[in-house]
Amino acid sequence: MVAQAPTPVTQWGMPQAGPFRWTRPATWPREALALAGYWAASRMIMIGMLKSGKAEQAIEVHRTYHGWFQILQSGTFPVGDVTWQYPPGAALAMLAPGLLPFLTYLQAFALLMLLTDAITQAALVRVSLRRNGGVHRGRSTAGAWMWAMALPLMLGLPYGRYDLPVTALAMAALLLLPSRPRMGGALAGIAAMVKVWPALVVLGAPRGRGTRQAWLATCTSAAALLLVMATLFRGAFDFLTAQQGRGVEIESLGGSALQVARELGWPGGVDQHYGSLEFLGPYVHTIARASLLLTALAFGWLLLWRFKARRWSAATPYDAALTAVLLFTVTSRVISPQYLIWLIGLAAVCLTVRGSSQRPVALLLLLATAVTTIDYPLFFDSLIHGGWKGTLVIVGRNGLLLAASVWSAARLWRATVSAEAARQQAPQVRRGPIRVA
């Protein structure tokens, strides 16, 4: 018997994959075929939910996104529109359907989201499987299955919001960081200029030259895109002050407390405010400030973790990205249903590595995604007008997200900072491709 040569690894310990022949399905591994079949069937259902144009997600694309598209075509951002609160790179997502003028705006938008989903699914399969059907050493197909199975839980929502391409860019940045840190950092910077949170995905890269390259590329690409958009469009910097007037959105963690308080007699109410449905009334401002304080504390904890981390594995950059985005999502004054797309994507990247500390957290996120669909659209009217059914659903969903964030942080700390991690530090350095200093 001839021994099989070990799979080559990068300087950060990630296995280098051999090429897939995507143009020849007969060469695909069986698991890739199973994933492709499931993906195609489930995505047909998701597209069908948007096809009539009557779903809320389709109406949002028709009215809001198409309205922004028309304004952006005139060379200006939606200045004065309180619902526009995004970095200037978001304009690219709104303008992209214009590349398909033979389709309606909704059709073009949904098609681009479908293509983004397909490319993301293919990338997750690609990093997990060898061409001969085996799994790369240290890798797992669980991430590909997570992505394939979790998105349909949100019905047609992923194809009716622009969070899907942002998440895809952040996932690509994470997957590229080990072998191509400059390219991975550049993608993270571009994604951060579309929606700010992807800047967090480079936080957990191991110390060393590759990480410095990634961080520099993130800052450079973000600044370059900002400069380009500011040159091409008027009002590019309005997003810096757009969030100041935000309150407590009804689906946020603070909103859950106010939902319960309303059922117990709190006199406040719900109204459309700064582009979302928010609570207005006594103590709302206090809860909003508490949310900002919790976000600051979460950022402080992440910096402390970064300073004290003693051991990096191949999964650590992925795990840290999920923990960081989870903490910022849970402490935010707004938790919209589409935010779950971010968490699904990052959890899927974590699950591509067998040694990830976040595997049980990913299961909690799957459950939270399912409960989110019960919240929106099924019980959303109850959230607006009041009632114990909607209140219990949103409290349960946010309880799951809170538990997932605390568990995620604890598992990341235990894997990288704890005394056990310290005992494993020396062997890890001697084995070598993971750089820790």
Side-chain angles (χ1 to χ4, degrees):
M1 177 180 291
V2 179
Q4 185 178 6
T7 304
V9 296
T10 69
Q11 62 169 333
W12 287 359
M14 303 303 291
Q16 293 176 343
F20 261 110
R21 294 187 180 182
W22 294 109
T23 57
R24 295 180 59 190
T27 66
W28 294 4
R30 291 182 179 179
E31 192 161 8
L33 288 170
L35 277 162
Y38 180 85
W39 183 91
S42 61
R43 271 48 179 186
M44 286 178 63
I45 296 173
M46 293 171 66
I47 286 292
M49 295 178 182
L50 290 178
K51 188 175 180 180
S52 66
K54 297 179 181 179
E56 192 278 334
Q57 298 91 346
I59 295 172
E60 180 80 8
V61 175
H62 270 308
R63 294 179 181 176
T64 306
Y65 288 7
H66 191 215
W68 288 338
F69 168 79
Q70 293 173 322
I71 295 172
L72 289 164
Q73 281 188 314
S74 67
T76 182
F77 284 94
V79 178
D81 184 349
V82 296
T83 62
W84 178 268
Q85 302 168 3
Y86 310 109
L92 300 176
M94 305 306 160
L95 291 170
L99 299 174
L100 304 174
F102 49 88
L103 298 175
T104 67
Y105 188 85
L106 174 62
Q107 290 171 340
F109 188 91
L111 178 58
L112 291 174
M113 296 304 105
L114 178 66
L115 290 175
T116 302
D117 182 9
I119 293 170
T120 305
Q121 185 70 70
L124 290 169
V125 173
R126 171 69 176 77
V127 300
S128 302
L129 295 176
R130 292 195 301 263
R131 207 180 81 186
N132 63 6
V135 178
H136 282 295
R137 179 170 61 88
R139 287 289 192 174
S140 170
T141 58
W145 282 110
M146 172 84 177
W147 181 261
M149 299 177 68
L151 279 192
L153 291 176
M154 304 187 74
L155 307 180
L157 180 67
Y159 293 166
R161 295 291 187 273
Y162 84 98
D163 297 81
L164 192 56
V166 180
T167 303
L169 281 173
M171 294 168 67
L174 270 176
L175 291 172
L176 285 171
L177 277 175
S179 58
R180 299 180 181 179
R182 287 191 180 93
M183 184 177 293
L187 287 179
I190 293 171
M193 279 294 100
V194 180
K195 214 159 193 178
V196 177
W197 67 266
L200 296 169
V201 302
V202 297
L203 179 69
R207 302 184 185 110
R209 182 171 60 89
T211 296
R212 291 191 293 271
Q213 292 173 345
W215 289 3
L216 179 60
T218 300
C219 297
T220 302
S221 62
L225 181 56
L226 178 60
L227 179 62
V228 169
M229 300 305 291
T231 303
L232 297 177
F233 297 90
R234 183 176 65 87
F237 293 95
D238 283 4
F239 79 99
L240 294 173
T241 58
Q243 294 280 346
Q244 290 182 355
R246 294 301 293 265
V248 179
E249 191 257 348
I250 61 175
E251 295 171 285
S252 65
L253 188 64
S256 299
L258 291 174
Q259 291 280 6
V260 174
R262 180 170 60 172
E263 297 306 312
L264 297 177
W266 176 68
V270 174
D271 200 1
Q272 190 78 21
H273 189 245
Y274 274 85
S276 64
L277 290 163
E278 297 181 355
F279 280 109
L280 301 176
Y283 310 113
V284 171
H285 183 64
T286 301
I287 291 179
R289 293 182 65 181
S291 296
L292 292 174
L293 177 60
L294 287 174
T295 299
L297 291 174
F299 185 70
W301 182 90
L302 289 168
L303 291 180
L304 178 65
W305 167 81
R306 176 77 196 184
F307 177 76
K308 294 181 74 67
R310 304 173 182 180
R311 177 180 179 267
W312 266 269
S313 69
T316 302
Y318 303 165
D319 295 349
L322 177 59
T323 299
V325 176
L326 252 175
L327 290 174
F328 274 78
T329 299
V330 169
T331 59
S332 173
R333 292 171 291 174
V334 179
I335 305 180
S336 296
Q338 60 266 27
Y339 291 11
L340 272 295
I341 300 173
W342 316 346
L343 304 176
I344 289 169
L346 296 179
V349 173
C350 290
L351 293 181
T352 62
V353 182
R354 293 186 183 277
S356 172
S357 65
Q358 303 297 305
R359 298 177 79 85
V361 177
L363 294 178
L364 266 187
L365 291 177
L366 270 176
L367 183 57
T369 301
V371 177
T372 295
T373 301
I374 299 175
D375 156 43
Y376 177 86
L378 299 182
F379 283 179
F380 199 63
D381 285 342
S382 177
L383 281 182
I384 299 172
H385 303 294
W388 276 110
K389 288 184 179 179
T391 298
L392 292 176
V393 169
I394 198 61
V395 168
R397 194 284 302 273
N398 287 342
L400 287 170
L401 288 180
L402 180 60
S405 64
V406 173
W407 201 7
S408 176
R411 291 182 67 86
L412 177 66
W413 188 277
R414 189 180 307 121
T416 57
V417 180
S418 67
E420 180 182 355
R423 287 193 296 270
Q424 295 175 359
Q425 180 185 19
Q428 182 70 22
V429 173
R430 286 196 298 268
R431 281 198 303 270
I434 303 298
R435 297 185 61 179
V436 297

